[in-house]
Amino acid sequence: MTYSYVTELYCPKCGSTYSTDEQINLCTCGSPLLVSYDYDSIKASLTKEELAKREPTLWRYHELLPVKNPENVISFGEGMTPLIEMKSLSEEYGISRVYMKDEGLIPTGSFKARGSAVGVSKAKELHIKEIAMPTNGNAGAAWSLYAAKAGIKSHIVMPLDAPLITRKEVEISGANLYLVDGVISDAGKIVARSVKENGWFDVSTLKEPYRIEGKKTMGFEIAEQFQWELPDVIVYPTGGGVGLIGIYKAFKELMDLGWVKKDKFPRLVATQAADCAPIVKAFEEGKTESEFWHHSKTAAFGINVPKALGDFLVLDAIYKTNGCAVAIDDETLLAEQKLIAQKEGAFICPEGAATFATVRILREKNWIKANETVVCLNTGMGIKYPETVEVNATFVDKETTISLAK
Amino acid sequence: MTYSYVTELYCPKCGSTYSTDEQINLCTCGSPLLVSYDYDSIKASLTKEELAKREPTLWRYHELLPVKNPENVISFGEGMTPLIEMKSLSEEYGISRVYMKDEGLIPTGSFKARGSAVGVSKAKELHIKEIAMPTNGNAGAAWSLYAAKAGIKSHIVMPLDAPLITRKEVEISGANLYLVDGVISDAGKIVARSVKENGWFDVSTLKEPYRIEGKKTMGFEIAEQFQWELPDVIVYPTGGGVGLIGIYKAFKELMDLGWVKKDKFPRLVATQAADCAPIVKAFEEGKTESEFWHHSKTAAFGINVPKALGDFLVLDAIYKTNGCAVAIDDETLLAEQKLIAQKEGAFICPEGAATFATVRILREKNWIKANETVVCLNTGMGIKYPETVEVNATFVDKETTISLAK
């Protein structure tokens, strides 16, 4: 029984290839690396029916993941998150079917768990002992906790403005936490210098090639949960954009396997914040790379990424699928977050709320048609962002009888 | 196709029965009511193999749940939470197999979602329009969000000291939130008076008969995840104790169905906090009911319940299964919480940590044997309790290079 059919790393820019048995970051040309598999052998050995019987975690797709020995798998049961039909929102927006893929129901409460589950497991397989990364909070929390289970030491550099709860998660894992008064790009530069100094492995977004393999499982799950008939539109809150790149890669792989219809991609939509929208700007200008966004700022902190290393891959996925990119201001996304809690009972993160606000706008513009099926990625739990909710409670004493009767 | 084989409500104290088609709280004798089913028909129509094919939510057990019409089901994909083997802790405690049933991976991040999913769905079926409840936080959060999806208005009364994040969850759901400087029993009295005044339905613990049916699915899942071979010991953090009563009921039902070995119950252990241990005191004194615990206090706020309405059912389950009850002080449970994060990478809630501390003590006393299989219920995510972690971060400036090299 072959657990993984991983073959090699390849560079999407220059075509160079590398072994998956070595500790490696970027291509010598500076590009992120992607992972390839022996799709013919997977096709010959795995069926959809076999898959349907497996445990409801992302490891059900182990043939299409890079970890070769199952003993290296570090798992807390992550994956196969619910796909929830949002009937009130469908009505509100005037669209046949609107779904939420709820990435809040995953260890550490954010989709970052997928990348860290696969990334840390592969790091363990490669005998990596110490890792470092910049983070807007959730990735640092996920990586440091998974690393703790793997016996790997973590060094996490985080902006001061990142969600406070993620500091607690990093701290309790036993990792070293560093806070910087800046944005994730500043944290990234500190990490880049520090890994050299200390001999740590850099697991920054896309400098580490396996995180994307964990993220792509969102695409596999969406396909499987829709019985291998892909939806029309998928909306993704885009910071580093790894999830969007991963979902696109997942669908290409499923097409290679013949499990979904060839070349009928869902239109991929990147949602960004109005005050941090480098991908949206590049898309609107028809460019293939983005420019650094100065003085970025948003309540949806996870997508406060002024310049993504994989911007060219995100834009490529958008163009190839006839997708688009949309910027949402904070007031709009926070209003949508509240509406979703009250209409659908889901307290989602501001990044997730921004994708629903995007759907509303794209329907108004008729870019999304009334009879289409749309999936929004809610990338985390609302409870990680307590500051997005203002409480108006009534203080009562023990002898009170509440009386609202007319 | 019969969706539910529910038959009636019965009183475990006086034996009276009631219809499940009416809005009802307690028995006229004052006891909580329990739900019964037509087990013979379930036996004839449902197999373990059929069950294995169903979606990974608690609704897979719908024949054994009280909601008759699937259209009334309010679900966010709750249930089939991971059962994680804790290998480092097994070694630490000197026990063959220690598992965590992780109830953090559920909507709203606590096991309370199970009770509210079933309770709110049944409330919808019974045309209830407005509910009220006292809560230590997590139940109020879960009920108000599920109720929002059902179009039911909620009134939530919460102690001032309840986890702050749960105020945010209640608020964003659109519920009315009331805060009282007291404990949950004080909140309960306010609710009892207010439901009469306003004509709301009282969904307090065990005054509402269906919440326990949601909680019992933890027992079904444990049985199914262990391939219908029950573990030796199950440890549960006990406030109101509905989960423990529910798990006991689940195993009795599975025995009735012939799905698990007859009368071979896991020993059920109730964990309480040292400064709120009414069940432990009653158990140590061999009593069948507990007394009100004055001046209760604990960091594990969910189990700060001075007197549980279902105490006699909890004690009955403990006695019948040769279980026990153990009190853990805050310092001990917080130390265990930290150790679990660092050894197992899991940031769990203080209530859950108390169950692991209990296992450590019971192994030291040889009450748990080295070759036994133990399951601890982690009833929620650590991130809902940020105050349990003190952060010791290093502040760095943008030009820093971290240097820890020797």
Side-chain angles (χ1 to χ4, degrees):
Chain A
M1 269 290 293
T2 305
Y3 189 72
S4 167
Y5 285 92
V6 65
T7 52
E8 61 186 9
L9 292 164
Y10 68 95
C11 174
K13 271 204 170 152
C14 77
S16 298
T17 62
Y18 300 86
S19 164
T20 60
D21 294 330
E22 285 166 48
Q23 296 180 12
I24 197 158
N25 290 111
L26 296 174
C27 181
T28 49
C29 82
S31 166
L33 295 167
L34 297 176
V35 184
S36 74
Y37 298 84
D38 176 357
Y39 300 104
D40 288 339
S41 294
I42 296 171
K43 216 165 170 171
S45 66
L46 180 63
T47 63
K48 291 177 191 173
E49 292 69 33
E50 170 58 28
L51 200 57
K53 291 181 204 156
R54 294 185 176 172
E55 60 167 5
T57 76
L58 62 82
W59 298 101
R60 65 201 278 113
Y61 309 108
H62 58 76
E63 286 91 343
L64 287 150
L65 292 173
V67 180
K68 292 180 180 177
N69 183 347
E71 286 178 13
N72 293 320
V73 168
I74 303 292
S75 174
F76 300 112
E78 58 287 327
M80 268 312 204
T81 55
L83 181 74
I84 314 270
E85 188 167 1
M86 308 292 261
K87 289 187 183 170
S88 297
L89 291 183
S90 300
E91 206 174 303
E92 168 91 12
Y93 302 152
I95 298 172
S96 305
R97 285 165 303 276
V98 176
Y99 291 85
M100 170 172 69
K101 175 77 173 160
D102 190 3
E103 294 290 304
L105 287 203
I106 204 162
T108 74
S110 100
F111 77 122
K112 298 287 183 181
R114 292 184 189 266
S116 63
V118 173
V120 168
S121 298
K122 190 67 188 176
K124 187 181 173 206
E125 188 155 274
L126 296 173
H127 310 292
I128 288 165
K129 301 292 177 211
E130 232 163 320
I131 59 174
M133 73 187 307
T135 177
N136 272 342
N138 282 319
W143 280 77
S144 59
L145 283 160
Y146 277 84
K149 184 153 177 121
I152 294 171
K153 177 82 184 173
S154 304
H155 303 272
I156 307 292
V157 189
M158 194 186 283
L160 278 178
D161 291 340
L164 290 176
I165 189 64
T166 62
R167 296 186 189 180
K168 307 272 181 168
E169 295 176 274
V170 170
E171 175 73 33
I172 199 168
S173 78
N176 286 343
L177 174 62
Y178 307 92
L179 297 171
V180 61
D181 187 5
V183 293
I184 192 168
S185 312
D186 301 305
K189 285 175 199 156
I190 294 170
V191 167
R193 288 189 298 267
S194 304
V195 292
K196 280 189 202 153
E197 175 80 12
N198 301 276
W200 304 330
F201 188 71
D202 189 339
V203 295
S204 305
T205 302
L206 291 175
K207 285 193 185 172
E208 185 284 326
Y210 302 105
R211 179 199 292 216
I212 184 175
E213 297 302 295
K215 299 279 186 76
K216 82 177 177 189
T217 59
M218 290 188 284
F220 290 161
E221 291 178 17
I222 289 170
E224 192 175 354
Q225 288 171 320
F226 277 109
Q227 282 81 48
W228 312 101
E229 293 278 347
L230 299 179
D232 299 299
V233 175
I234 295 177
V235 189
Y236 183 81
T238 306
V242 179
L244 194 140
I245 303 167
I247 290 170
Y248 180 61
K249 184 171 190 278
F251 294 156
K252 280 201 291 186
E253 291 181 342
L254 294 177
M255 288 172 192
D256 278 346
L257 293 174
W259 288 8
V260 298
K261 273 201 203 94
K262 197 91 184 163
D263 298 331
K264 201 184 154 289
F265 281 98
R267 307 193 310 274
L268 298 178
V269 178
T271 293
Q272 297 203 296
D275 290 336
C276 183
I279 303 277
V280 176
K281 182 166 182 285
F283 173 77
E284 286 174 351
E285 293 169 354
K287 292 187 176 154
T288 57
E289 290 194 17
S290 66
E291 285 161 38
F292 190 94
W293 189 281
H294 292 279
H295 313 297
S296 62
K297 196 169 156 286
T298 170
F301 201 75
I303 53 175
N304 189 341
V305 179
K307 162 79 178 163
L309 190 58
D311 56 356
F312 70 101
L313 294 168
V314 173
L315 286 158
D316 182 57
I318 294 171
Y319 292 132
K320 291 264 176 64
T321 63
N322 299 308
C324 68
V326 176
I328 305 290
D329 64 53
D330 279 12
E331 196 186 339
T332 303
L333 66 89
L334 291 171
E336 204 73 28
Q337 183 197 32
K338 190 171 174 182
L339 178 111
I340 291 164
Q342 298 188 356
K343 289 218 164 206
E344 294 282 1
F347 181 15
I348 67 175
C349 68
E351 297 84 352
T355 66
F356 287 97
T358 300
V359 169
R360 182 191 292 275
I361 288 168
L362 290 177
R363 176 70 196 101
E364 282 165 5
K365 290 184 176 172
N366 207 30
W367 191 92
I368 294 175
K369 302 290 182 292
N371 63 352
E372 293 197 301
T373 299
V374 178
V375 177
C376 289
L377 268 298
N378 172 43
T379 46
M381 300 183 92
I383 59 171
K384 300 195 85 170
Y385 303 78
E387 72 289 352
T388 57
V389 185
E390 196 189 323
V391 173
N392 298 297
T394 306
F395 292 83
V396 295
D397 66 49
K398 293 181 190 177
E399 307 310 320
T400 301
T401 301
I402 302 159
S403 178
L404 302 181
K406 285 154 200 167
Chain B
M1 270 288 294
T2 305
Y3 189 73
S4 167
Y5 285 93
V6 66
T7 53
E8 61 187 8
L9 292 164
Y10 68 95
C11 174
K13 272 204 169 154
C14 76
S16 300
T17 61
Y18 300 86
S19 163
T20 60
D21 293 330
E22 283 166 50
Q23 296 179 13
I24 198 157
N25 290 111
L26 296 174
C27 182
T28 49
C29 82
S31 166
L33 294 168
L34 298 176
V35 184
S36 74
Y37 298 85
D38 176 358
Y39 300 104
D40 287 339
S41 294
I42 296 170
K43 216 165 171 170
S45 67
L46 180 63
T47 64
K48 292 177 190 173
E49 294 67 35
E50 170 58 29
L51 199 57
K53 292 180 202 156
R54 294 186 178 173
E55 60 168 5
T57 76
L58 62 83
W59 298 101
R60 65 200 278 114
Y61 309 109
H62 57 77
E63 286 91 344
L64 288 148
L65 292 174
V67 180
K68 293 180 179 176
N69 183 348
E71 284 178 15
N72 292 320
V73 168
I74 303 292
S75 174
F76 301 113
E78 56 288 327
M80 268 313 204
T81 55
L83 181 75
I84 313 271
E85 189 168 359
M86 308 293 261
K87 290 188 182 168
S88 296
L89 291 183
S90 301
E91 207 175 302
E92 169 90 13
Y93 301 152
I95 298 173
S96 304
R97 285 166 302 277
V98 176
Y99 290 85
M100 171 173 69
K101 176 76 173 159
D102 191 2
E103 293 290 305
L105 288 203
I106 204 161
T108 74
S110 102
F111 76 122
K112 298 288 184 181
R114 292 184 190 265
S116 62
V118 173
V120 168
S121 298
K122 190 66 189 176
K124 188 181 173 206
E125 189 155 274
L126 295 174
H127 309 293
I128 289 165
K129 301 291 178 214
E130 230 161 323
I131 60 174
M133 73 188 306
T135 177
N136 272 342
N138 282 319
W143 280 77
S144 59
L145 283 160
Y146 277 84
K149 185 153 173 120
I152 294 171
K153 178 79 183 175
S154 305
H155 303 272
I156 308 292
V157 188
M158 193 186 283
L160 277 178
D161 291 341
L164 290 176
I165 189 64
T166 62
R167 296 187 189 178
K168 306 272 181 168
E169 294 176 273
V170 171
E171 175 73 34
I172 200 168
S173 78
N176 286 345
L177 174 63
Y178 307 91
L179 297 170
V180 60
D181 187 4
V183 293
I184 191 169
S185 312
D186 301 306
K189 286 174 199 156
I190 294 170
V191 167
R193 288 189 298 266
S194 303
V195 292
K196 279 188 204 153
E197 175 81 13
N198 300 276
W200 304 330
F201 188 70
D202 189 339
V203 295
S204 305
T205 303
L206 290 175
K207 285 194 187 172
E208 184 284 325
Y210 302 105
R211 179 199 292 215
I212 185 175
E213 297 302 295
K215 297 280 185 73
K216 81 177 179 190
T217 59
M218 289 189 285
F220 291 161
E221 291 178 17
I222 289 171
E224 192 176 356
Q225 287 171 320
F226 277 110
Q227 281 82 49
W228 312 101
E229 293 278 347
L230 299 180
D232 299 299
V233 175
I234 295 177
V235 189
Y236 183 81
T238 306
V242 180
L244 195 138
I245 303 167
I247 290 170
Y248 179 61
K249 184 171 191 278
F251 294 157
K252 280 200 291 186
E253 291 182 342
L254 294 177
M255 287 172 192
D256 279 344
L257 293 174
W259 287 8
V260 299
K261 273 200 204 95
K262 197 90 184 164
D263 297 331
K264 203 185 153 284
F265 281 99
R267 304 189 320 272
L268 298 178
V269 179
T271 293
Q272 296 204 298
D275 290 337
C276 183
I279 304 275
V280 176
K281 182 165 181 287
F283 173 77
E284 287 174 351
E285 294 170 354
K287 293 190 176 151
T288 56
E289 290 196 17
S290 67
E291 285 161 37
F292 190 93
W293 189 280
H294 291 280
H295 314 297
S296 62
K297 195 169 157 286
T298 170
F301 201 76
I303 53 176
N304 189 342
V305 179
K307 163 78 177 163
L309 190 59
D311 55 357
F312 70 100
L313 295 169
V314 173
L315 286 157
D316 181 59
I318 293 172
Y319 292 131
K320 291 263 175 65
T321 63
N322 299 307
C324 68
V326 176
I328 305 290
D329 64 52
D330 279 12
E331 196 186 338
T332 303
L333 67 88
L334 291 171
E336 205 72 27
Q337 183 197 32
K338 191 172 174 181
L339 178 111
I340 291 165
Q342 297 189 357
K343 289 220 165 204
E344 295 282 1
F347 180 16
I348 68 175
C349 66
E351 296 85 351
T355 66
F356 287 97
T358 300
V359 170
R360 181 192 292 275
I361 288 168
L362 291 177
R363 176 69 197 103
E364 283 165 5
K365 291 185 176 170
N366 207 30
W367 191 93
I368 295 175
K369 303 289 182 294
N371 64 352
E372 293 197 299
T373 299
V374 179
V375 177
C376 289
L377 267 298
N378 173 43
T379 44
M381 302 184 88
I383 58 172
K384 299 196 86 171
Y385 302 79
E387 71 290 352
T388 57
V389 185
E390 196 189 323
V391 173
N392 297 298
T394 306
F395 291 82
V396 295
D397 66 48
K398 292 181 190 178
E399 307 310 319
T400 301
T401 300
I402 302 159
S403 178
L404 301 181
K406 285 154 197 167

